[in-house]
Amino acid sequence: VQLQASGGGLVQPGSSLRLSCEASGGTFSRGAMGWFRQAPGLEREFVAAISWSGLTTYYSDSVKGRFTISRDGKQVNLQMNFLKPEDTAVYYCTAGRREGIAKFAGWYDYWGQGTQVTVSS
């Protein structure tokens, strides 16, 4: 399975960005998809995840109320509003093979190449 992410860029604080990620090349039946991010010098951290059905979503406390994750089959989107400088990071799309949903990186099986989001004035 290959994950291709897009939509990153340089924006000012308070702006919005929409990240998209599409899976191809295999199957991961009933697995969750999600986003993690990694800022320079820091560990990769959970951002958001969505179940296969789209009915269950998880968010980190730092993005809750500002980011919205959505899914259409093998495509997952992350709408990011009211961006802050501390949201600056490389954002990674991920997908899991197993049924269920989780907030920890070890649960997921496939990772995209990452897309840079920079929030700066």
Side-chain angles (χ1 to χ4, degrees):
V1 174
Q2 291 81 45
L3 300 176
Q4 182 67 47
S6 61
L10 170 63
V11 296
Q12 294 187 339
S15 298
S16 298
L17 271 178
R18 183 178 176 88
L19 304 183
S20 294
C21 175
E22 185 153 9
S24 63
T27 60
F28 50 100
S29 60
R30 311 194 72 78
M33 296 186 76
W35 294 90
F36 285 71
R37 67 186 181 186
Q38 188 167 17
L42 299 179
E43 294 186 353
R44 189 171 298 191
E45 67 171 354
F46 171 76
V47 176
I50 187 166
S51 63
W52 174 259
S53 66
L55 296 179
T56 302
T57 56
Y58 290 165
Y59 295 95
S60 68
D61 289 342
S62 62
V63 307
K64 198 174 296 182
R66 299 188 298 121
F67 292 10
T68 302
I69 191 169
S70 61
R71 180 172 185 170
D72 181 7
K74 291 185 179 181
Q75 179 172 319
V76 63
N77 305 300
L78 187 68
Q79 178 65 42
M80 305 186 294
N81 298 327
F82 306 108
L83 284 160
K84 305 175 180 180
E86 50 263 44
D87 294 318
T88 295
V90 177
Y91 283 69
Y92 296 90
C93 171
T94 188
R97 286 197 302 264
R98 292 162 283 182
E99 185 172 353
I101 183 173
K103 295 182 180 181
F104 58 95
W107 192 88
Y108 294 89
D109 302 289
Y110 309 108
W111 294 85
Q113 83 286 4
T115 184
Q116 177 70 47
V117 172
T118 303
V119 185
S120 175
S121 55

